[in-house]
Amino acid sequence: MFTYILRRLVGMVLVMLIVAAVIFVIARVIPGDPAAVMLGSAATPEDVAALRTRLGLDQPFLAQFLIYLGQIATFDLGESIFLARPVTQALAERAELTSFLTMMSVGIAVAIGVPIGIVSAVKRGRLVDQGTVALAMLAASVPSFWIGLTLIRYLAVDLHWFPVAGYGPPDASLAERLRHLVLPAIALGIPNSALILRFTRTSMLDVMNEDYVRTARAKGLPPLTVILKHALRNALIPILTIIGLTTAVMIAGAIVTETVFGLPGVGNLVVSAVLRRDYPVIQGALLVVSGLYVLINLAVDLLYAVVDPRVRY
């Protein structure tokens, strides 16, 4: 196990080096002078030259890249031009909201997708199965921003059950902040639950006809015990895989949801940085999201041995 984790960590470092190189190159092949774009048309040549020196853009390309790697190695993602503070600080200030939103969205997606997927597999070919598959396709086709706007229209504006937007006042309690995230979490969780539902159904169908499941039924065990203890337990690995991938996708997909609901999260910060051409923030956010994606994949792989003792690394 230790050797496997060590190999994966080395692989993660190599992956992050490639990601850092791609992000660095993309930020510099965009047409136009980044310093001039960030300062705007009213900036003087002296201001542009000073910002280029500050960002290290006046140095050779390879030297810029080596400096960039050195900053990443010390967890220094640079300083935001418009926020006038380190990028790590700006991301940390908004990480709480995005973390809660992602966890709530994943919880909703799993709560919808896994049980319905199990029922659909057990009732294979029946009206319930056909209806759930159709609903899954519909949920996967509907964009999250449309679901968000619909929820705002009926549950927030008409019924006043939830706040329309925002994250509450600065002195709001945790319960009040989480209440602001209910509608965004539903809007983000419903489309992603469709994929979990389909994978759960497929994985359950693969094990429902196995010998150990038929043996459990022949012993006279209750149907619920057969489904949950014998079938679901052996179908968990593909389900865990898709849940992990969905979690990583939700972190990136939170950008649209945060914009619709006016949430001051990491996604909203990235949108503002793109509009302002705040390259340090864009690079830092992309690098952090990529790192989280790699860590989630590692965590899912390690969970395989927990849910299935037959797995050996």
Side-chain angles (χ1 to χ4, degrees), residues 127-277:
L127 183 61
V128 173
D129 180 30
Q130 297 174 1
T132 54
V133 171
L135 288 176
M137 295 178 64
L138 178 63
S141 304
V142 177
S144 60
F145 70 85
W146 185 87
I147 298 176
L149 294 175
T150 304
L151 293 175
I152 292 173
R153 172 68 174 79
Y154 292 103
L155 298 185
V157 176
D158 291 350
L159 299 177
H160 303 287
W161 288 356
F162 300 98
V164 175
Y167 194 45
D171 58 344
S173 63
L174 179 60
E176 179 64 21
R177 294 186 183 278
L178 294 179
R179 183 169 174 265
H180 281 75
L181 297 180
V182 172
L183 294 186
I186 294 175
L188 189 58
I190 288 178
N192 290 282
S193 67
L195 189 59
I196 297 177
L197 189 157
R198 295 295 299 273
F199 267 79
T200 301
R201 178 183 181 274
T202 302
S203 184
M204 286 292 293
L205 289 175
D206 289 340
V207 302
M208 290 291 286
N209 295 322
E210 293 290 338
D211 292 339
Y212 53 82
V213 176
R214 288 198 296 266
T215 302
R217 287 173 176 167
K219 289 180 178 180
L221 295 177
L224 190 61
T225 301
V226 174
I227 293 170
L228 297 181
K229 185 176 180 180
H230 294 274
L232 179 60
R233 184 175 181 181
N234 288 278
L236 273 179
I237 287 184
I239 297 173
L240 283 176
T241 302
I242 196 60
I243 290 176
L245 294 175
T246 302
T247 302
V249 169
M250 284 186 181
I251 295 175
I255 294 177
V256 177
T257 305
E258 290 179 4
T259 303
V260 171
F261 286 90
L263 298 173
V266 175
N268 205 317
L269 175 65
V270 172
V271 172
S272 301
V274 171
L275 295 176
R276 297 170 175 174
R277 302 296 192 273

